[in-house]
Amino acid sequence: MNYWLMKSEPSTFGIDDLARARNSTSGWDGVRNFQARNYMREMKKGDLVFFYHSSCPVPGIAGVAVVQREAYPDPTQFDSKSDHYDAMSDPDNPRWFMVDVKLVRKFDTVISLDELRKHAAGKLKDMIVLKRGNRLSVTPVTKSEWSFIESLV
DNA sequence: GCCAACGTTGGC
DNA sequence: GCCAACGTTGGC
């Protein structure tokens, strides 16, 4: 089993939106970055995901979700009315993929980016999301990083 | 294949 | 709203 971190802006889709979704499950559409897409295609059902809130008053990890459905073509790429429409994508060879995730638990308080940074020289020294200039919206998390962060909850 | 220009992300 | 950092595009 593998571990991941996925970013979303809570003003668009936050952990509370996932909690309100049918079966607490939602598709994670709209990813338009090749590296992030490639990571999503590696995801297996049952993999665990940190749900990260970005571009908000307290950026950080808001809870845990689980991969419920493995990668499949993101329909928004073919919807000319969607913000995520991609005229270059061929329906016979789609560019963009998405997964479905189900909420496992919302943390009582967000593990803030500030708090994570306190460990940036220690246990979390290789964590991608703490690297300078990182913008990748889907990143792998190691087992040791995962366990350590869970211990901060 | 290089690289400048541009658009986007995301913390502050 | 600013701006550093980065990915992508497109001219050459």
Side-chain angles (χ1 to χ4, degrees):
Chain A
M1 184 179 66
N2 288 308
Y3 302 93
W4 308 93
L5 180 145
M6 299 175 87
K7 294 181 190 172
S8 184
E9 297 186 20
S11 60
T12 303
F13 188 87
I15 200 162
D16 291 331
D17 295 299
L18 185 57
R20 277 191 294 269
R22 203 164 103 97
N23 294 327
S24 306
T25 302
S26 174
W28 200 285
D29 62 15
V31 171
R32 293 296 180 267
N33 171 285
F34 290 105
Q35 209 176 342
R37 179 205 65 183
N38 294 345
Y39 284 136
M40 282 203 298
R41 291 207 288 204
E42 289 179 31
M43 291 182 182
K44 296 294 180 198
K45 188 172 180 182
D47 281 1
L48 293 174
V49 178
F50 281 136
F51 193 127
Y52 182 94
H53 282 172
S54 64
S55 297
C56 59
V58 185
I61 297 169
V64 174
V66 61
V67 175
Q68 192 74 6
R69 181 179 171 190
E70 295 176 9
Y72 59 101
D74 178 347
T76 63
Q77 70 195 304
F78 305 122
D79 177 1
S80 60
K81 290 187 281 297
S82 168
D83 288 345
H84 303 296
Y85 178 59
D86 182 355
M88 301 291 288
S89 187
D90 175 358
D92 292 328
N93 185 21
R95 262 191 180 182
W96 306 115
F97 288 76
M98 59 187 284
V99 296
D100 289 355
V101 300
K102 179 183 173 71
L103 183 66
V104 174
R105 71 164 165 152
K106 176 186 173 182
F107 297 150
D108 292 335
T109 57
V110 170
I111 305 174
S112 68
L113 183 59
D114 278 351
E115 180 163 7
L116 294 171
R117 284 230 174 91
K118 287 177 190 163
H119 308 282
K123 300 258 191 186
L124 300 181
K125 69 180 170 54
D126 295 321
M127 190 151 184
I128 297 170
V129 85
L130 300 182
K131 302 272 187 200
R132 184 157 175 267
N134 168 70
R135 301 189 316 178
L136 201 53
S137 64
V138 179
T139 55
V141 172
T142 67
K143 185 173 173 54
S144 65
E145 288 163 351
W146 183 278
S147 307
F148 178 71
I149 291 169
E150 286 257 303
S151 77
L152 298 174
V153 177

